[in-house]
């Protein structure tokens, strides 16, 4: 989708600002006199960060603002690269003793000082351009939002005969509302929850207009919107109850009292459509403002299960996707299908296009409108293309999903966008995903929660927004798996488009080498095929941070991995011989290589001094873990589950003081574990389930 990529800028700038803060407090920074330079850059970023909300809002329509955001984002990436280089050079193995000061050798220090000077100059130029745009700071841009008409505003009106596939849902919601008549709660609050474009508002309209509520004293429809305003909600209810001549009341006290006078003992149905507010206090106040009668029924529509549960008296109603047949019926309805002379030829094309909707009625409606007036050849072309990458799709579904993305805080934006590295339909392991986020610096610093705990919270939020779904293969090798709706995946890809290079050996793709591509997704590659390896390696810049391989074959080979790689995800690959060059990745923190078919634990893995997370689950051929595993001094999470041929764990594993998780489940032939595991003082999870040959500890 056009113009979405700029929405990642605030997330990148925020993350790099925190990275600068950490570097400023580093001992080596102070020894090498770079503290003032770093602080100056951090202050400059913070100054511009305050205006990024307005900049991102304007970037959708203004090309110059988009270009400025890209310059700022790229500068932030450059700072991040510089800090990584700074960190590498400051490690003991990279430093020389200068008297009693353990500091940089003089040449690297001069090089770093030059880079600092150049970076500060680049930021000053960006700051000057920033001032010329006259951005509003913080949330002040929201003042104008109140004054603008909202094109998404809804009403209660609906043509019921045109609605397809929601009769059962209407009956279910009506049943839930009626069952709650004897509830002890003063009011009934039932949320309808689901993905953007799934039909929450349509279902609420069907319920609102149902004959069951015709005899109610009052029926009120309030469009809440992203800009939450309690007084606006209260005044809207009052004006609809009183009709013409009512005036806006300017205090909560007057509004609350007026609502009680008007609605006490009155049978009232209120629909609060499109609720986004997450603040507990505001949601409590919202509940309080309508809690004026035990005869009150309140129906709320929201995209977030978290918001729904904060604001309900009845368990939220989760709206399901439509099936392909229903999507085809919606497409026919909106494309003028029945009046076409060539409808028999169009039918199979339309049915194929219906499958692209992913069960979203808004998508089916949009595609129906697109097909209207198209000739047969255009329809065929659309059915064979990834239609959501086309400019003409930019007015409906993806912008609707983009609204959900816009509400995310910066760190969640980074985490969501990164999910675009996986192929469409990929089953994503929860543990693998969280540790990739951690390695890439996407987890917000916290004094109260560990990075892993925060990652769990992020996953929960994405599930609540329907950005992630539990996979049909919910448990794979005993681990929780997720998938993404196809259109949500398209959104993630559109956000990360400037940072991601996609290479598929079987199709022609725009995999050109660009300056700020920092993630790579590869598919259908045979890494032992020299010509394809050479072709692939030419598009990767040296500072690539993460690579995901799927449907690829590794048979050793001489694939040249970028040296700055933090994450290497080989899930879904066939690996008969681990690539020896992988041992050169001194910055690698996450290695995922499930189902490795090599009989030996790869020696190259023991050379990865910064490795934090190692997942070899399902590697049934590996028969032994080498004693050299002790070289992985930073390893915190080791997954050897379903390594069914492993019999012995080496004594040296007990020297890995940072180990927190050790998963040996389904190591069916494991006969013993070493006494030295008692030395693992940081161990939190030890899984020995289904180790049938293990007789004692």
């Amino acid at each position: 989708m056009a113009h979405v990529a700029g929405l990642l800028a605030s997330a990148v700038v925020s993350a790099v600002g925190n990275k600068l803060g950490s570097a400023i407090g580093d001992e080596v920074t102070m020894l090498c006199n770079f503290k003032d330079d770093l602080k100056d850059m951090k202050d400059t970023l913070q100054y511009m960060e305050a205006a990024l909300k307005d900049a991102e809002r304007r970037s959708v329509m203004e090309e110059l603002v988009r270009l400025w955001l890209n310059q700022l984002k790229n500068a932030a990436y450059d700072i991040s690269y510089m800090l990584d280089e700074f960190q590498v050079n400051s490690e003991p193995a990279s430093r020389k003793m200068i008297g009693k000061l353990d500091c940089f050798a003089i040449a690297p220090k001069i090089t770093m000082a030059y880079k600092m000077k150049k970076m500060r100059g680049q930021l000053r130029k960006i700051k000057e351009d920033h001032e010329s745009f006259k951005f509003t700071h913080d949330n002040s841009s929201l003042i104008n939002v109140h004054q603008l008409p909202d094109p998404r505003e809804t009403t209660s009106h609906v043509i019921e005969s045109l609605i397809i596939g929601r009769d059962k849902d209407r009956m279910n919601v009506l049943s839930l509302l009626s069952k709650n008549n004897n509830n002890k709660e003063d009011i009934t609050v039932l949320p309808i929850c689901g993905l953007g474009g799934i039909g929450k508002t349509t279902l609420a309209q069907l319920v609102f207009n149902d004959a069951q509520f015709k005899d109610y004293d009052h029926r009120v429809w309030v469009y809440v919107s992203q800009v939450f305003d309690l007084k606006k909600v209260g005044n809207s209810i009052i004006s609809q109850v009183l009709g013409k001549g009512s005036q806006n009341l300017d205090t909560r006290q007057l509004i609350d009292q007026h609502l009680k006078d008007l609605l006490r003992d009155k049978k009232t149905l209120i629909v609060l459509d499109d609720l986004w507010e997450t603040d507990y206090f505001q949601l409590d106040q919202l509940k309080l403002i309508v809690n004026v009668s035990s005869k009150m029924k309140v129906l709320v529509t929201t995209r977030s299960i978290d918001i729904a549960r904060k604001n309900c008296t009845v368990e939220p109603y989760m709206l399901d996707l439509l099936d392909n047949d229903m999507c085809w019926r919606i497409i026919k309805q909106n494309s003028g299908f029945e009046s076409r002379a060539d409808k028999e030829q169009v039918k199979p094309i339309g049915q194929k296009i219906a499958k692209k909707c992913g069960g979203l009625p808004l998508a089916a409606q949009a595609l129906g409108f697109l097909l209207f007036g198209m000739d047969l050849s255009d329809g065929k072309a659309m059915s064979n293309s990834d239609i959501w990458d086309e400019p003409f799709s930019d007015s409906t579904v993806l912008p609707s999903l983009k609204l959900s993305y816009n509400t995310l805080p910066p760190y969640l934006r980074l985490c969501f966008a990164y999910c675009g590295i996986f192929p469409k339909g990929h089953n994503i392991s929860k543990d693998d995903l969280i540790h990739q986020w951690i390695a890439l610096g996407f987890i917000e610093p916290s004094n109260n929660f560990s990075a892993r705990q925060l990652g769990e919270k992020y996953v929960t939020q994405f599930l609540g927004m329907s950005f992630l779904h539990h996979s049909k293969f919910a448990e794979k090798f005993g681990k929780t798996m997720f998938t993404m709706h196809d259109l949500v995946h398209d959104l993630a890809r559109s956000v990360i488009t400037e940072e991601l290079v996609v290479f598929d050996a079987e199709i022609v793709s725009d995999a050109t080498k660009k300056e700020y591509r920092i993630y790579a997704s590869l598919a259908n590659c045979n890494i032992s095929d020299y010509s394809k390896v050479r072709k692939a390696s030419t598009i990767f810049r040296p500072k690539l941070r993460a690579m995901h391989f799927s449907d690829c074959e590794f048979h050793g080979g001489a694939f040249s991995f970028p040296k700055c790689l933090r994450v290497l995800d080989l899930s879904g690959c066939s690996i008969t011989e681990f690539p020896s060059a992988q041992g050169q990745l001194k910055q690698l923190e996450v290695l995922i290589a499930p189902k490795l078919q090599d009989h030996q634990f790869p020696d190259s893995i023991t050379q990865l001094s910064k490795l934090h997370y190692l997942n070899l689950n399902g590697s049934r051929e590996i028969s032994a873990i080498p004693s050299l595993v002790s070289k992985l001094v930073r390893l915190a999470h080791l997954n050897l589950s379903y390594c069914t041929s492993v019999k012995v764990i080496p004594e040296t594993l007990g020297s890995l003081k940072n180990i927190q998780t050790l998963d040996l489940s389904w190591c069916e032939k494991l006969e013993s574990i070493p006494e030295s595991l008692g030395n693992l003082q940081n161990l939190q999870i030890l899984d020995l389930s289904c180790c049938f040959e293990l007789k004692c500890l």
Side-chain angles (χ1 to χ4, degrees):
M1 180 171 60
H3 316 328
V4 177
L7 300 179
L8 196 61
S10 62
V12 175
V13 170
S14 177
V16 173
N18 280 304
K19 195 171 182 177
L20 276 167
S22 299
I24 289 169
D26 186 80
E27 181 182 357
V28 177
T29 303
M30 292 185 283
L31 287 173
C32 297
N33 302 316
F34 291 138
K35 185 175 182 179
D36 290 342
D37 298 283
L38 296 177
K39 190 174 186 304
D40 179 68
M41 287 190 286
K42 186 174 189 296
D43 290 344
T44 304
L45 283 182
Q46 283 183 326
Y47 172 80
M48 290 184 285
E49 187 180 359
L52 286 186
K53 284 185 179 179
D54 187 42
E56 289 178 339
R57 182 178 61 82
R58 287 171 55 180
S59 73
V60 176
M61 300 299 295
E62 298 180 41
E63 176 68 21
L64 286 177
V65 175
R66 274 199 301 281
L67 291 173
W68 178 82
L69 274 176
N70 267 335
Q71 289 176 351
L72 177 60
K73 182 176 65 173
N74 293 340
Y77 280 132
D78 285 336
I79 293 172
S80 180
Y81 300 147
M82 183 180 66
L83 292 175
D84 288 342
E85 187 178 346
F86 182 91
Q87 182 186 38
V88 170
N89 290 331
S90 67
E91 289 177 351
S94 305
R95 294 183 233 147
K96 294 182 179 180
M97 295 295 293
I98 303 176
K100 290 187 178 181
L101 281 181
D102 185 16
C103 197
F104 288 158
I106 206 72
K109 184 175 179 180
I110 292 172
T111 301
M112 189 60 64
Y114 171 76
K115 288 183 178 180
M116 293 267 190
K117 181 179 178 181
K118 183 180 178 182
M119 195 69 253
R120 289 176 64 186
Q122 185 178 342
L123 279 181
R124 274 195 295 272
K125 175 63 170 64
I126 294 172
K127 183 180 178 182
E128 290 170 5
D129 293 340
H130 157 275
E131 290 167 350
S132 70
F133 284 114
K134 295 182 171 56
F135 293 124
T136 55
H137 282 234
D138 296 322
N139 293 322
S140 55
S141 61
L142 290 179
I143 296 171
N144 296 326
V145 177
H146 283 281
Q147 300 168 353
L148 296 173
D150 188 343
R152 298 181 62 252
E153 184 172 0
T154 62
T155 72
S156 63
H157 300 299
V158 65
I159 302 175
E160 295 187 30
S161 60
L162 298 181
I163 306 304
I164 293 171
R166 292 306 182 196
D167 289 338
K168 182 178 178 182
D169 293 300
R170 169 165 56 176
M171 298 307 297
N172 289 341
V173 170
L174 290 171
S175 176
L176 287 170
L177 288 172
S178 61
K179 280 181 182 177
N180 217 49
N181 283 336
N182 298 321
N183 196 291
K184 294 181 180 179
E185 292 277 355
D186 290 336
I187 60 173
T188 299
V189 181
L190 171 61
I192 300 172
C193 193
L195 191 63
I198 202 170
K200 300 179 295 296
T201 296
T202 300
L203 178 57
Q205 290 168 332
L206 291 173
V207 172
F208 185 91
N209 290 284
D210 192 84
Q212 178 173 317
F213 299 107
K214 294 295 186 183
D215 64 339
Y216 268 43
D217 297 297
H218 304 292
R219 288 181 300 154
V220 176
W221 182 280
V222 180
Y223 172 67
V224 182
S225 83
Q226 287 177 281
V227 183
F228 185 73
D229 186 337
L230 271 173
K231 290 181 182 178
K232 179 182 173 184
V233 171
N235 277 310
S236 179
I237 297 171
I238 292 169
S239 64
Q240 290 182 60
V241 170
L242 289 177
K244 294 181 180 180
S246 61
Q247 58 182 9
N248 282 345
L249 303 175
D250 55 5
T251 68
R252 276 287 311 282
Q253 178 63 29
L254 286 173
I255 291 170
D256 288 0
Q257 188 58 52
H258 220 49
L259 285 171
K260 287 179 181 177
D261 293 341
L262 288 172
L263 303 179
R264 186 183 289 115
D265 297 326
K266 300 290 186 182
K267 293 172 69 176
T268 306
L269 172 66
I270 296 178
V271 172
L272 301 175
D273 186 41
D274 206 23
L275 178 63
W276 293 78
E277 181 61 44
T278 59
D279 182 78
Y280 277 101
F281 176 77
Q282 293 287 356
L283 290 175
D284 281 343
Q285 292 299 304
L286 176 63
K287 203 169 178 180
L288 186 64
I289 209 171
V290 295
N291 191 7
V292 294
S293 170
S294 59
K295 298 179 180 180
M296 181 83 72
K297 307 283 187 185
V298 181
L299 199 59
V300 177
T301 70
T302 180
R303 301 182 181 202
S304 168
I305 190 65
D306 193 37
I307 294 174
R309 285 178 174 151
K310 288 176 185 176
N311 205 54
C312 68
T313 63
V314 181
E315 184 67 19
Y317 187 79
M318 301 301 299
L319 198 53
D320 288 331
L321 300 166
L322 299 180
D323 60 33
N324 291 335
D325 288 339
M326 289 180 179
C327 288
W328 168 228
R329 287 173 59 194
I330 295 173
I331 289 174
K332 286 197 297 182
Q333 185 184 77
N334 292 281
S335 64
F337 174 80
E338 295 298 341
S339 62
R340 294 184 68 123
D342 59 351
K343 61 182 179 182
E344 288 305 315
Q345 291 92 341
V346 170
K347 182 176 180 180
I349 296 171
Q351 289 174 329
K352 185 177 179 181
I353 291 174
K355 295 178 181 178
K356 295 175 180 283
C357 300
L360 289 181
L362 181 59
Q365 187 180 52
L367 292 179
F369 289 139
L370 288 174
L371 278 173
F372 188 83
M374 275 191 179
D375 61 28
L376 198 60
S377 61
D378 289 338
K380 283 182 178 178
M382 191 165 78
S383 70
N384 292 321
S385 68
D386 192 353
I387 54 170
W388 304 112
D389 288 338
E390 299 297 328
F392 54 62
S393 68
D394 199 39
S395 60
T396 49
V397 185
L398 288 183
S400 175
L401 296 177
K402 190 190 78 173
L403 290 173
S404 298
Y405 174 79
N406 284 346
T407 64
L408 296 173
Y411 280 86
L412 280 174
R413 288 190 184 192
L414 281 171
C415 291
F416 169 72
Y418 178 73
C419 292
I421 197 173
F422 303 107
K424 191 171 287 187
H426 183 74
N427 286 295
I428 307 168
S429 161
K430 181 181 76 170
D431 289 340
D432 290 351
L433 179 61
I434 288 174
H435 286 286
Q436 290 181 58
W437 288 342
I438 294 171
L440 294 166
F442 293 166
I443 304 293
E444 187 174 16
S446 171
N447 294 324
N448 300 317
F449 299 100
S450 69
R452 186 174 181 178
Q453 287 172 321
L454 286 172
E456 293 274 0
K457 291 178 180 292
Y458 292 2
V459 164
T460 300
Q461 186 156 347
F462 288 144
L463 287 170
M465 298 172 66
S466 299
F467 273 7
L468 289 176
H469 293 277
H470 284 285
S471 171
K472 293 179 181 177
F473 306 99
E475 295 293 324
K476 185 177 182 182
F477 290 118
K479 302 302 175 188
T480 304
M481 310 295 289
F482 301 124
T483 59
M484 300 179 76
H485 188 284
D486 283 357
L487 294 182
V488 174
H489 180 272
D490 289 340
L491 175 63
R493 279 276 169 100
S494 65
V495 172
I496 205 177
T497 184
E498 297 291 334
E499 284 81 10
L500 176 66
V501 56
V502 179
F503 180 85
D504 190 326
E506 293 187 353
I507 63 174
V508 177
S509 57
D510 180 24
T512 53
K513 188 172 183 177
K514 294 187 179 179
E515 182 66 16
Y516 291 96
R517 296 286 176 95
I518 57 176
Y519 314 119
S521 178
L522 293 91
N524 301 307
C525 297
N526 185 338
I527 305 303
S528 61
D529 185 327
Y530 179 77
S531 62
K532 289 184 178 179
V533 167
R534 185 178 181 184
K535 180 182 177 183
S537 60
T538 59
I539 62 175
F540 302 131
R541 63 190 306 267
K543 294 179 180 177
L544 208 65
R545 288 298 191 265
M547 298 182 78
H548 175 89
F549 292 79
S550 59
D551 298 317
C552 297
E553 296 183 13
F554 279 82
H555 307 291
F559 188 84
S560 179
F561 292 99
K563 299 297 187 293
C564 294
L565 212 59
R566 296 285 184 88
V567 171
L568 180 56
D569 185 348
L570 301 169
S571 56
C573 291
S574 172
I575 311 171
T576 54
E577 183 185 345
F578 212 71
S580 57
Q582 191 254 5
Q584 302 169 9
L585 303 178
K586 303 304 181 184
Q587 304 300 311
L588 195 69
E589 295 185 22
V590 170
L591 174 58
I592 301 162
K595 295 179 287 187
L596 176 64
Q597 299 171 45
D598 200 330
H599 289 276
Q600 300 295 322
F601 185 99
D603 288 339
S604 56
I605 291 180
T606 64
Q607 301 170 32
L608 303 172
S609 57
K610 280 196 171 182
L611 199 63
H612 180 84
Y613 179 83
L614 175 60
N615 181 358
L616 297 177
N617 72 329
S619 300
R620 299 179 184 273
E621 303 299 321
I622 293 178
S623 58
I625 308 300
S627 59
L628 285 178
V629 73
S630 60
K631 294 171 65 176
L632 302 175
V633 293
R634 299 195 183 185
L635 194 64
H637 305 276
L638 177 58
N639 185 350
L640 298 173
S641 60
Y642 289 84
C643 293
T644 54
S645 297
V646 171
K647 293 182 179 180
V648 178
I649 300 297
E651 192 75 27
T652 54
L653 192 66
S655 65
L656 300 180
K657 305 297 185 184
N658 291 312
I659 286 284
Q660 299 172 24
T661 303
L662 179 57
D663 190 346
L664 299 171
S665 60
W666 286 96
C667 290
E668 298 173 340
K669 296 182 181 179
L670 184 64
E671 297 173 351
S672 64
I673 58 173
E675 188 90 8
S676 63
L677 288 194
N679 299 327
L680 301 179
Q681 297 298 310
N682 291 312
L683 189 65
Q684 299 171 17
I685 299 172
L686 174 61
D687 193 341
L688 296 171
S689 56
C690 302
C691 294
F692 302 119
E693 296 298 318
L694 188 63
K695 303 302 181 185
C696 62
L697 299 180

